Amino acid sequence: MMVDEIITVQEDAGFKKEKVSYKNDYLTAVSARIEEFVRNGKMDLIEREFHSPATTSAEVSLSRYSTESPAEKKQVLHLGSYNYSGLNGHPEIINASIDAIKKYGTTSSGVRLLNGTNDLHIELEKRLADFLGMEEAITVSSGYAANLAVLGTLCQAGDIVLTDMLNHQSIVDGLKLSGAKVIPYRHCSLKSIETTLKNYRHVTRKFLVTDGVFSMDGNFAPLVGIVELCERYGVKIIVDDAHGTGHVGPFGKGVCEKLGVTEKIDIIIGSMSKGLPGIGGFIATNSETANILRAAANPYIFSASIPPAVSASVIEAIKILESNPEISRILEEKTYYFSDKLRNLGFDLLNTESSIIPILGRDEDKVFEMTRLLFEKGVYVNPVGYPAVAKSRARIRINLCSSLTYKELDYCIDAIACAGKTVGVI
C-alpha cells in the first residue's frame, strides 16, 4: 500500500488538489504481492517478533501482520540465526559492552573523519586486521555499506568487474555505483571466469568480486581456482566473507583462511552482525588501499561511526574466538551431523558446505506451510522465496549455531522430517 503525496496545482483562477502516486509498475507489483501475503497468512511468518535474546532458543510471536491477537509467544529452538559462533549473549561480551557504555556513552556522536573516532575503533580495527591476516581494517556502519564503499570507490568507469551471478544484493548495488563495466559469470564457474578474462586481456584494471560463503546456498566460492586465474590475468580479488567470519575456518577466521588463500586476496569485506556479535561491517586490505578508502569512500565519510558498545563487544568476541578454536570446530562437526541426517531423509540441501543449510522446497506455498508447521512444533526456520531466490527455487534456510546441543539438533531433525512429509517436500 503506497503513500500518495498531496500537491497543489494552479488551475486558472483557483487551485486544485491532486494526488501524485509514487507507484510504478514494479512498485505496484510489490504492493500487490504484500497484500496477497497478508491475505493468505504468509506475512505472519515474516518479521516475526522476538521477545528475548536471539540465542539458541528464544521467545517469539507471529509478526505484526498476523490476525492473531494478542499474538502467542512461543519458546522455539532458533535455526534461523546468523549467530554461528554462539557468542551472542556471552557474559564476557555483555560485560565489555556495558563497560564501554559507562565509559563512552551510547554513541560517538559523529563521523570518523571529524569527531567520531575513539580509541575503541582503533583497537577494534587493529584486532580485526590481525585476526584476518591483513595489514589494516576499516569499520563502517554495515556490511552492506562496506560493499558500497569498496565497489563504489575503487571500481571506476573504464574498469571491468567480474561478479558471480549469485552474489549478494549489496555487491550488485555497489557495482551500480561504480560506473565500471560489470560482467556476471556463471555461479562458481572457473571456466566462465577464464572465458571472460581471455576476452578482456587488453583492459588494464580488472576486478573480480565474489561472496566467500553464499548466503542462500551455503557453498564456498572456488577461491583456490579464482586466485590462480586472477594471478595469471592480472585481476584484483575482492571477497565478501560476511557469512564466513566467525563461522568457518580455523578460529572462525573465514573462508579465505579455510582455503589457504588469505595472502592472495586483495580485499576481504565482512560483517560484524553474524559470527561476530555486533553490528556494522569491515573492510580488510593493505595500508595503501585502506588510506584511499578512508579519504574517498562515502559510506565511511558520511556515516556515523559504530557505537562504543559494539566496538567493545566485537573486540571481546575476537579474543574469545582466538582462544577457543573448538568453537568453529564443534560447529563444523554439528553441521556435518545435521546435514547428513537430513540428506539421508531425502531432503535436497543443494551443495552446501557450511552451517547455512538450504532445504529446497521449490514450491513457495509448501515452504511457508512447512515453516508454519515447524514454528508450531517450536522450531524457528526462515522461508525464502522470490525475489531473494528464483521462483522455482523457494526454500527453507537454516543457520546452525555452535552452541546448539545434539539433543536439540535431533529434536529439530525429527520435526523437519515430519513437516517435510506433511507438505510433500520428501
Side-chain angles (χ1 to χ4, degrees):
M1 292 63 71
M2 306 299 297
V3 177
D4 291 337
E5 180 183 17
I6 303 294
I7 65 168
T8 303
V9 246
Q10 190 167 1
E11 262 195 4
D12 297 329
F15 291 89
K16 179 184 178 183
K17 286 185 177 180
E18 292 187 356
K19 285 188 175 182
V20 178
S21 176
Y22 289 118
K23 288 183 181 179
N24 56 23
D25 289 345
Y26 168 73
L27 296 178
T28 298
V30 170
S31 181
R33 184 163 165 81
I34 292 171
E35 289 170 357
E36 178 196 354
F37 268 42
V38 171
R39 283 196 304 272
N40 61 29
K42 289 178 182 174
M43 285 301 291
D44 293 5
L45 301 168
I46 295 174
E47 290 188 16
R48 281 171 281 180
E49 295 180 25
F50 281 73
H51 306 275
S52 67
T55 53
T56 53
S57 63
E59 191 176 48
V60 186
S61 62
L62 295 175
S63 79
R64 58 199 168 101
Y65 298 98
S66 173
T67 55
E68 183 181 302
S69 181
E72 179 189 358
K73 297 176 184 177
K74 293 185 66 69
Q75 195 68 29
V76 296
L77 290 170
H78 197 353
L79 299 192
S81 172
Y82 295 155
N83 181 33
Y84 301 112
S85 62
L87 293 180
N88 185 25
H90 191 289
E92 292 175 27
I93 293 174
I94 290 175
N95 288 337
S97 177
I98 292 169
D99 290 344
I101 289 175
K102 289 178 178 178
K103 182 175 180 179
Y104 299 92
T106 56
T107 179
S108 53
S109 300
V111 298
R112 290 294 297 273
L113 293 186
L114 299 179
N115 59 285
T117 298
N118 58 48
D119 51 1
L120 285 177
H121 292 123
I122 304 303
E123 181 183 353
L124 170 58
E125 289 171 346
K126 185 176 187 313
R127 283 194 175 274
L128 276 168
D130 292 345
F131 181 65
L132 297 167
M134 304 293 275
E135 286 183 10
E136 294 200 33
I138 302 169
T139 55
V140 292
S141 58
S142 68
Y144 184 95
N147 272 322
L148 266 58
V150 169
L151 300 171
T153 305
L154 300 180
C155 305
Q156 298 288 317
D159 301 341
I160 68 160
V161 184
L162 279 70
T163 180
D164 192 290
M165 63 185 296
L166 295 188
N167 275 342
H168 191 267
Q169 187 64 39
S170 57
I171 293 175
V172 175
D173 291 350
L175 290 173
K176 289 177 183 176
L177 295 175
S178 72
K181 181 177 178 64
V182 177
I183 306 173
Y185 59 84
R186 291 194 307 277
H187 180 51
C188 288
S189 170
L190 296 176
K191 182 179 180 180
S192 179
I193 292 169
E194 184 166 22
T195 298
T196 301
L197 291 176
K198 284 179 178 178
N199 293 332
Y200 287 90
R201 287 179 183 270
H202 61 284
V203 176
T204 303
R205 283 171 47 91
K206 299 184 284 287
F207 299 84
L208 183 145
V209 59
T210 180
D211 283 4
V213 182
F214 286 88
S215 61
M216 289 298 165
D217 289 14
N219 59 316
F220 301 153
L223 291 178
V224 174
I226 285 173
V227 164
E228 192 277 324
L229 286 173
C230 289
E231 285 186 330
R232 190 190 314 166
Y233 290 94
V235 181
K236 298 291 186 184
I237 305 172
I238 302 168
V239 176
D240 177 1
D241 206 23
H243 282 273
T245 312
H247 170 189
V248 302
F251 301 93
K253 292 185 178 183
V255 72
C256 298
E257 186 70 15
K258 181 176 180 64
L259 299 180
V261 297
T262 298
E263 64 181 19
K264 303 290 187 179
I265 305 301
D266 296 286
I267 300 173
I268 298 174
I269 297 167
S271 168
M272 296 186 294
S273 62
K274 296 178 175 67
L276 299 175
I279 192 70
F282 65 79
I283 304 157
T285 185
N286 60 66
S287 296
E288 180 183 11
T289 303
N291 286 334
I292 290 170
L293 290 169
R294 290 189 187 101
N298 286 346
Y300 181 83
I301 296 169
F302 296 106
S303 294
S305 57
I306 60 173
V310 171
S311 296
S313 297
V314 178
I315 289 169
E316 193 63 32
I318 292 172
K319 292 178 185 177
I320 293 169
L321 287 170
E322 287 178 326
S323 58
N324 293 276
E326 69 274 9
I327 290 175
S328 57
R329 177 181 56 78
I330 289 171
L331 176 58
E332 186 174 44
E333 291 171 357
K334 289 176 179 176
T335 297
Y336 286 145
Y337 175 85
F338 190 83
S339 298
D340 285 348
K341 292 277 190 180
L342 291 184
R343 283 195 171 105
N344 289 337
L345 286 165
F347 288 105
D348 184 352
L349 308 186
L350 301 176
N351 296 314
T352 182
E353 303 171 79
S354 70
S355 301
I356 300 169
I357 302 172
I359 297 178
L360 196 62
R362 301 189 185 278
D363 180 87
E364 190 174 79
D365 291 338
K366 289 182 178 181
V367 165
F368 273 86
E369 181 58 25
M370 189 170 169
T371 300
R372 185 182 293 276
L373 289 172
L374 286 170
F375 188 68
E376 290 170 358
K377 291 177 178 291
V379 178
Y380 189 106
V381 297
N382 286 310
V384 180
Y386 179 80
V389 294
K391 290 180 179 179
S392 62
R393 307 283 281 178
R395 69 198 61 182
I396 281 172
R397 185 179 67 171
I398 289 169
N399 305 77
L400 292 186
C401 171
S402 181
S403 50
L404 284 161
T405 67
Y406 281 99
K407 182 178 180 181
E408 289 169 336
L409 291 176
D410 284 337
Y411 176 83
C412 293
I413 290 165
D414 290 342
I416 291 167
C418 181
K421 290 174 183 175
T422 300
V423 303
V425 170
I426 56 170

